[in-house]
Amino acid sequence: MTTPSLLILPGDGIGPEVMAEVRRVIDWFGDKRGLQFDVSEDLVGGAAYDVHGTPLHDDTMAKAQEVDAVLLGAVGGPKYDVLDFSVKPERGLLRLRKEMDLFANLRPAQCFDALADFSSLKKDVVAGLDIMIVRELTSGIYFGEPRGIFTEGNERVGINTQRYTESEIDRVARNAFELAMKRNKKLCSMEKANVMESGILWREVVTKVGEDYPEVELSHMYADAGAMQLCRWPKQFDVIVTDNLFGDLLSDAAAMLTGSLGMLPSASLGAPMANGRPKAMYEPVHGSAPDIAGQGKANPIACILSFAMALRYSFDLGDEAARLEAAINAVLEKGVRTADLLGEEGVTPVSTSGMGDAILAALDESL
Ligand code: IPM
Ligand code: MG
């Protein structure tokens, strides 16, 4: 078997700091578990713009298409606010998602026991929470045409188009049903079929795909009601499938249920490649947090958990993923906390690399 390849794109803000800790974890798996990865690194976002004048160089795009998995840190920052829309850091990320056709974005929202007090919701609402949002990632209003700012009469009009084909809905729905089969066999689909034709079609197609998964209990909810239910009693959900924009909003809300955005990973998956592995990119849900960049305050856990998702979904190493997740859990149980998680008594504050040290130590203990 050839050595699996990983392309690392640290990006902007806290991206490089948290990714440095991921690299230590990758090295640990190489040294201690004999899992070698062929790792290369490149630029994305503002970091790429600074060097190439574009948030994603064509050569980087080509590399991303070839590797077994891409790991991305975060993109964006105030320095780039003034740039033209077409070269903003986010365009690099969106190009990767679109050109790699990463249509299924898996965003788990899991509440670690040690952090249950951290949520803004009551402890019994979030303790033990473990849900998965499957967000459609390559279509809908993010990419629909027509789009732009046009002139109509004597004023301008901003236009974006929500657009979904049956096949686009079908493939992401299938992905969500497959996941539901591996979990609690419960799937809730969210749209706004009461207002949007794309929502009517979404509901129809998801229902049809459901006929192939009779064991899965399928329900439908309007996305606004879904947002409300997520805050009221999130444990009623297991897998949620929704479109690109609703998924963006709902996943941020779900993420915060767990107490910190600094904890949540994501996987963006496409169709299988020739070697059977899905095209894939893994990234933390949090952004580039420019306000704390370079100060050793960032929490590297979301990015490290994204690598755990890579082990599970790209490399079929579910046991090793579980080892890494358990190590993180153990560290949290010991009260080790980065700056985003301070506040409780008796905890040990650590820097970004201090958290990396603690996780590596816990990994050593797992042997
Ligand atoms: C996300 C982010 C992105 C999105 C931005 C950075 C383009 O909010 O991954 O959720 O809107 O998809
Ligand atoms: Mg978002």
Side-chain angles (χ1 to χ4, degrees):
M1 228 177 70
T2 51
T3 311
S5 51
L6 279 176
L7 173 62
I8 293 196
L9 303 174
D12 307 323
I14 59 170
E17 307 162 49
V18 294
M19 200 57 91
E21 302 312 310
V22 177
R23 292 208 63 155
R24 295 172 71 201
V25 169
I26 295 173
D27 290 344
W28 185 91
F29 277 95
D31 294 345
K32 305 284 172 75
R33 303 296 300 154
L35 299 170
Q36 301 300 334
F37 293 94
D38 179 2
V39 181
S40 55
E41 201 169 306
D42 209 333
L43 303 171
V44 71
Y49 178 84
D50 288 340
V51 175
H52 302 300
T54 163
L56 187 72
H57 195 279
D58 288 343
D59 292 348
T60 315
M61 186 65 241
K63 261 191 249 170
Q65 295 283 18
E66 276 163 26
V67 292
D68 290 309
V70 177
L71 281 179
L72 186 136
V75 296
K79 176 178 163 197
Y80 306 105
D81 285 348
V82 295
L83 293 183
D84 186 69
F85 183 72
S86 63
V87 289
K88 280 207 192 299
E90 292 79 6
R91 302 311 300 171
L93 173 60
L94 293 169
R95 181 178 174 199
L96 282 162
R97 290 176 180 172
K98 186 70 179 171
E99 291 193 20
M100 292 171 75
D101 202 17
L102 305 172
F103 60 87
N105 182 213
L106 278 45
R107 296 191 164 187
Q110 227 174 329
C111 185
F112 286 83
D113 282 344
L115 299 181
D117 277 324
F118 234 85
S119 175
S120 50
L121 299 188
K122 292 195 185 94
K123 187 168 180 172
D124 68 314
V125 177
V126 296
L129 180 73
D130 178 9
I131 60 183
M132 177 74 89
I133 296 188
V134 180
R135 167 190 178 192
E136 199 291 326
L137 201 60
T138 50
S139 184
I141 201 161
Y142 270 57
F143 298 99
E145 300 280 348
R147 66 181 298 166
I149 300 175
F150 305 98
T151 301
E152 261 180 27
N154 56 7
E155 64 172 352
R156 291 179 305 156
V157 48
I159 298 183
N160 290 91
T161 302
Q162 167 80 335
R163 180 180 191 278
Y164 270 106
T165 64
E166 289 180 294
S167 52
E168 286 168 342
I169 303 168
D170 184 287
R171 63 182 187 172
V172 72
R174 262 175 220 288
N175 215 295
F177 275 105
E178 289 292 336
L179 262 174
M181 284 297 288
K182 290 187 200 133
R183 295 170 51 107
N184 289 340
K185 303 199 166 100
K186 236 173 88 176
L187 176 64
C188 182
S189 169
M190 295 188 188
E191 27 58 14
K192 275 187 67 77
N194 51 343
V195 180
M196 299 162 76
E197 283 79 0
S198 60
I200 296 177
L201 186 68
W202 182 280
R203 189 175 284 218
E204 250 179 61
V205 174
V206 172
T207 305
K208 183 96 183 35
V209 173
E211 290 170 11
D212 293 340
Y213 299 88
E215 283 175 61
V216 176
E217 180 197 318
L218 172 66
S219 60
H220 303 274
M221 229 179 244
Y222 298 140
D224 54 343
M228 182 270 281
Q229 291 295 344
L230 262 178
C231 305
R232 192 186 69 83
W233 189 243
K235 283 186 260 185
Q236 71 188 281
F237 298 111
D238 189 54
V239 181
I240 293 172
V241 63
T242 190
D243 77 10
N244 203 342
L245 182 60
F246 293 143
D248 182 40
L249 307 178
L250 292 168
S251 64
D252 262 28
M256 206 57 215
L257 298 175
T258 69
S260 168
L261 268 182
M263 299 294 300
L264 293 179
S266 80
S268 303
L269 307 175
M273 300 184 282
N275 60 14
R277 293 180 177 135
K279 272 250 158 91
M281 178 162 75
Y282 300 87
E283 51 178 311
V285 170
H286 65 68
S288 59
D291 52 323
I292 58 161
Q295 300 169 33
K297 287 186 184 164
N299 184 348
I301 291 181
C303 206
I304 294 174
L305 285 172
S306 299
F307 175 64
M309 287 187 95
L311 291 173
R312 177 171 290 120
Y313 292 106
S314 281
F315 305 118
D316 249 330
L317 293 166
D319 290 350
E320 299 299 334
R323 176 193 298 279
L324 180 50
E325 288 157 354
I328 289 169
N329 195 41
V331 166
L332 292 171
E333 289 291 340
K334 278 190 194 142
V336 179
R337 301 282 188 271
T338 39
D340 53 322
L341 300 174
L342 294 177
E344 285 165 283
E345 276 177 33
V347 297
T348 313
V350 292
S351 64
T352 307
S353 61
M355 181 57 89
D357 294 341
I359 292 170
L360 292 179
L363 279 171
D364 278 339
E365 275 169 36
S366 80
L367 293 175

